[in-house]
Amino acid sequence: MSVDAMIERLIGREGGYVDHPADRGGETIWGITVAVAREEGYTGAMRAMPRSEAIRIYRQRYWIKPRFDRVAALSELVAEELFDTGVNMGPAIAAQMLQRALNALNRQQTDYADLKMDGQIGPATLGALQAYLRIRGREGEAVLLTALRCLKGERYIDLAERRPANEAFVYGWLRTRVGQVGALA
Protein backbone atom coordinates (compact mmCIF):
# COMPACT_ATOMS: atom_id res chain seq x y z
CA MET A 1 0.00 0.00 0.00
CA SER A 2 1.30 3.45 -0.85
CA VAL A 3 1.83 6.16 1.73
CA ASP A 4 -0.91 8.13 -0.03
CA ALA A 5 -3.38 5.30 0.58
CA MET A 6 -2.25 5.03 4.23
CA ILE A 7 -2.78 8.75 4.73
CA GLU A 8 -6.22 8.60 3.12
CA ARG A 9 -7.23 5.69 5.38
CA LEU A 10 -5.94 7.59 8.40
CA ILE A 11 -7.82 10.76 7.50
CA GLY A 12 -10.93 8.61 7.07
CA ARG A 13 -10.53 7.39 10.67
CA GLU A 14 -9.70 10.83 12.05
CA GLY A 15 -12.47 12.73 10.30
CA GLY A 16 -12.99 16.47 10.14
CA TYR A 17 -12.95 19.27 12.68
CA VAL A 18 -13.21 18.39 16.39
CA ASP A 19 -12.75 20.41 19.57
CA HIS A 20 -13.61 17.93 22.33
CA PRO A 21 -13.40 19.45 25.85
CA ALA A 22 -11.63 16.35 27.27
CA ASP A 23 -8.97 16.33 24.54
CA ARG A 24 -5.73 17.96 25.70
CA GLY A 25 -4.83 18.41 22.03
CA GLY A 26 -7.49 21.07 21.62
CA GLU A 27 -8.76 21.84 18.15
CA THR A 28 -8.10 19.09 15.61
CA ILE A 29 -8.88 18.72 11.94
CA TRP A 30 -8.11 15.69 9.77
CA GLY A 31 -6.40 14.35 12.93
CA ILE A 32 -3.89 17.22 13.07
CA THR A 33 -3.84 19.09 16.40
CA VAL A 34 -3.53 22.84 16.55
CA ALA A 35 -0.08 22.54 18.19
CA VAL A 36 1.23 20.29 15.41
CA ALA A 37 -0.30 22.52 12.73
CA ARG A 38 1.46 25.57 14.20
CA GLU A 39 4.79 23.71 14.54
CA GLU A 40 4.49 22.75 10.88
CA GLY A 41 3.87 26.34 9.77
CA TYR A 42 0.09 26.44 9.35
CA THR A 43 -1.20 29.74 10.77
CA GLY A 44 -4.82 29.81 9.64
CA ALA A 45 -8.01 28.86 11.43
CA MET A 46 -8.10 25.14 12.21
CA ARG A 47 -11.62 24.74 10.79
CA ALA A 48 -10.28 26.05 7.47
CA MET A 49 -7.11 23.95 7.21
CA PRO A 50 -7.10 22.30 3.80
CA ARG A 51 -6.94 18.53 3.59
CA SER A 52 -3.85 18.95 1.40
CA GLU A 53 -2.05 20.64 4.32
CA ALA A 54 -2.87 17.70 6.59
CA ILE A 55 -1.54 15.31 3.94
CA ARG A 56 1.69 17.31 3.69
CA ILE A 57 2.12 17.24 7.49
CA TYR A 58 1.39 13.51 7.70
CA ARG A 59 3.86 12.69 4.95
CA GLN A 60 6.72 14.80 6.32
CA ARG A 61 6.28 14.60 10.11
CA TYR A 62 4.88 11.10 10.54
CA TRP A 63 6.31 9.16 7.56
CA ILE A 64 9.59 10.57 6.26
CA LYS A 65 11.07 12.21 9.37
CA PRO A 66 10.72 9.14 11.65
CA ARG A 67 11.99 6.95 8.78
CA PHE A 68 8.89 4.78 8.59
CA ASP A 69 9.42 4.94 4.82
CA ARG A 70 12.58 2.88 5.41
CA VAL A 71 10.57 0.35 7.43
CA ALA A 72 8.12 0.10 4.51
CA ALA A 73 10.94 -1.16 2.30
CA LEU A 74 11.08 -4.19 4.63
CA SER A 75 7.41 -4.52 5.64
CA GLU A 76 4.58 -2.31 4.48
CA LEU A 77 2.30 -3.71 7.19
CA VAL A 78 4.73 -2.90 10.00
CA ALA A 79 5.30 0.56 8.53
CA GLU A 80 1.56 1.23 8.38
CA GLU A 81 1.18 0.15 12.00
CA LEU A 82 4.06 2.42 13.07
CA PHE A 83 2.63 5.30 11.05
CA ASP A 84 -0.80 4.95 12.69
CA THR A 85 0.72 4.65 16.16
CA GLY A 86 3.08 7.54 15.47
CA VAL A 87 0.23 9.84 14.51
CA ASN A 88 -1.77 8.95 17.60
CA MET A 89 1.03 8.65 20.19
CA GLY A 90 4.09 10.22 18.61
CA PRO A 91 6.64 8.68 16.22
CA ALA A 92 9.22 8.08 18.98
CA ILE A 93 6.70 6.02 20.97
CA ALA A 94 5.92 3.95 17.86
CA ALA A 95 9.63 3.37 17.23
CA GLN A 96 10.18 2.37 20.87
CA MET A 97 7.35 -0.12 20.62
CA LEU A 98 9.02 -1.67 17.57
CA GLN A 99 12.36 -1.82 19.37
CA ARG A 100 10.78 -3.33 22.47
CA ALA A 101 8.94 -6.00 20.46
CA LEU A 102 12.05 -6.86 18.43
CA ASN A 103 14.06 -7.22 21.66
CA ALA A 104 11.47 -9.59 23.08
CA LEU A 105 11.45 -11.65 19.87
CA ASN A 106 15.21 -12.07 19.34
CA ARG A 107 15.51 -15.31 21.31
CA GLN A 108 17.94 -13.93 23.87
CA GLN A 109 20.03 -12.23 21.19
CA THR A 110 20.63 -15.37 19.14
CA ASP A 111 18.94 -13.85 16.06
CA TYR A 112 20.29 -10.29 16.45
CA ALA A 113 21.53 -8.01 19.24
CA ASP A 114 19.17 -6.21 21.60
CA LEU A 115 18.30 -2.71 20.48
CA LYS A 116 18.67 0.47 22.47
CA MET A 117 15.10 1.68 22.94
CA ASP A 118 15.83 5.24 21.87
CA GLY A 119 12.75 5.80 19.70
CA GLN A 120 14.86 6.31 16.58
CA ILE A 121 14.65 4.17 13.45
CA GLY A 122 18.31 3.84 12.52
CA PRO A 123 20.59 1.19 11.01
CA ALA A 124 20.46 -1.07 14.09
CA THR A 125 16.65 -1.13 14.22
CA LEU A 126 16.34 -1.63 10.48
CA GLY A 127 18.96 -4.39 10.60
CA ALA A 128 17.16 -6.16 13.45
CA LEU A 129 13.83 -5.90 11.63
CA GLN A 130 15.39 -7.26 8.45
CA ALA A 131 16.98 -10.17 10.35
CA TYR A 132 13.74 -10.91 12.19
CA LEU A 133 11.70 -10.97 8.99
CA ARG A 134 14.31 -13.09 7.19
CA ILE A 135 14.29 -15.67 10.00
CA ARG A 136 10.57 -15.64 10.87
CA GLY A 137 8.96 -14.86 7.50
CA ARG A 138 5.30 -13.95 6.96
CA GLU A 139 4.15 -15.62 10.14
CA GLY A 140 6.75 -13.63 12.07
CA GLU A 141 5.50 -10.43 10.47
CA ALA A 142 1.99 -11.24 11.74
CA VAL A 143 3.34 -12.00 15.22
CA LEU A 144 5.26 -8.70 15.25
CA LEU A 145 2.09 -6.82 14.27
CA THR A 146 0.22 -8.54 17.09
CA ALA A 147 2.96 -7.53 19.55
CA LEU A 148 2.83 -3.91 18.35
CA ARG A 149 -0.96 -3.79 18.68
CA CYS A 150 -0.81 -5.34 22.16
CA LEU A 151 1.65 -2.66 23.26
CA LYS A 152 -0.54 0.04 21.74
CA GLY A 153 -3.69 -1.30 23.42
CA GLU A 154 -1.95 -1.50 26.78
CA ARG A 155 -0.84 2.12 26.42
CA TYR A 156 -4.40 3.26 25.70
CA ILE A 157 -5.71 1.50 28.81
CA ASP A 158 -2.87 3.03 30.84
CA LEU A 159 -3.71 6.51 29.53
CA ALA A 160 -7.34 6.07 30.61
CA GLU A 161 -6.32 4.78 34.03
CA ARG A 162 -3.91 7.67 34.64
CA ARG A 163 -6.29 10.34 33.33
CA PRO A 164 -9.98 9.47 33.71
CA ALA A 165 -10.98 12.10 31.10
CA ASN A 166 -9.32 9.83 28.52
CA GLU A 167 -12.07 7.29 29.12
CA ALA A 168 -14.04 9.42 26.64
CA PHE A 169 -11.64 8.20 23.94
CA VAL A 170 -10.43 4.73 24.97
CA TYR A 171 -13.31 2.81 23.38
CA GLY A 172 -12.74 4.52 20.04
CA TRP A 173 -8.97 4.12 20.27
CA LEU A 174 -9.32 0.39 20.87
CA ARG A 175 -12.00 0.04 18.18
CA THR A 176 -10.19 1.92 15.42
CA ARG A 177 -6.50 1.60 16.36
CA VAL A 178 -6.08 -1.93 17.72
CA GLY A 179 -7.46 -4.47 15.25
CA GLN A 180 -6.70 -7.64 13.39
CA VAL A 181 -3.55 -8.03 11.28
CA GLY A 182 -3.93 -6.09 8.05
CA ALA A 183 -7.29 -4.69 9.13
CA LEU A 184 -6.66 -1.14 10.32
CA ALA A 185 -10.18 0.23 10.41
Side-chain angles (χ1 to χ4, degrees):
M1 174 181 299
S2 72
V3 66
D4 295 326
M6 285 183 217
I7 291 170
E8 286 302 322
R9 283 173 55 160
L10 179 77
I11 288 175
R13 284 190 300 279
E14 293 290 350
Y17 179 82
V18 178
D19 191 9
H20 194 287
D23 188 349
R24 287 184 174 166
E27 289 183 284
T28 303
I29 188 163
W30 314 120
I32 303 292
T33 65
V34 65
V36 166
R38 299 300 181 243
E39 288 170 15
E40 294 295 323
Y42 179 74
T43 59
M46 287 302 288
R47 281 186 188 274
M49 185 167 95
R51 185 182 183 105
S52 60
E53 181 66 8
I55 291 169
R56 181 193 69 76
I57 291 169
Y58 280 130
R59 183 182 317 282
Q60 184 58 41
R61 185 177 181 123
Y62 298 102
W63 184 251
I64 295 169
K65 187 176 178 186
R67 302 177 82 187
F68 297 153
D69 58 332
R70 305 264 176 104
V71 172
L74 301 173
S75 169
E76 289 181 1
L77 292 173
V78 171
E80 182 178 10
E81 182 65 29
L82 296 176
F83 172 69
D84 183 72
T85 302
V87 166
N88 202 244
M89 298 181 183
I93 300 282
Q96 285 174 336
M97 287 179 178
L98 175 63
Q99 291 163 339
R100 185 176 175 198
L102 286 170
N103 284 348
L105 293 166
N106 72 0
R107 296 188 288 181
Q108 296 181 328
Q109 301 189 68
T110 59
D111 293 338
Y112 47 86
D114 275 344
L115 297 167
K116 179 180 176 186
M117 292 193 333
D118 61 5
Q120 302 294 314
I121 301 292
T125 301
L126 292 169
L129 177 60
Q130 184 174 30
Y132 173 80
L133 293 171
R134 184 183 71 250
I135 293 163
R136 295 293 190 167
R138 286 270 188 222
E139 180 181 80
E141 182 181 45
V143 168
L144 179 59
L145 287 167
T146 298
L148 292 171
R149 290 182 179 136
C150 287
L151 291 170
K152 185 163 53 170
E154 189 282 327
R155 185 168 171 90
Y156 288 134
I157 299 277
D158 182 62
L159 288 171
E161 288 173 342
R162 287 189 288 124
R163 182 175 177 259
N166 284 333
E167 288 183 13
F169 310 112
V170 75
Y171 180 88
W173 288 335
L174 293 171
R175 182 178 57 81
T176 63
R177 301 287 201 210
V178 183
Q180 299 299 315
V181 173
L184 286 173

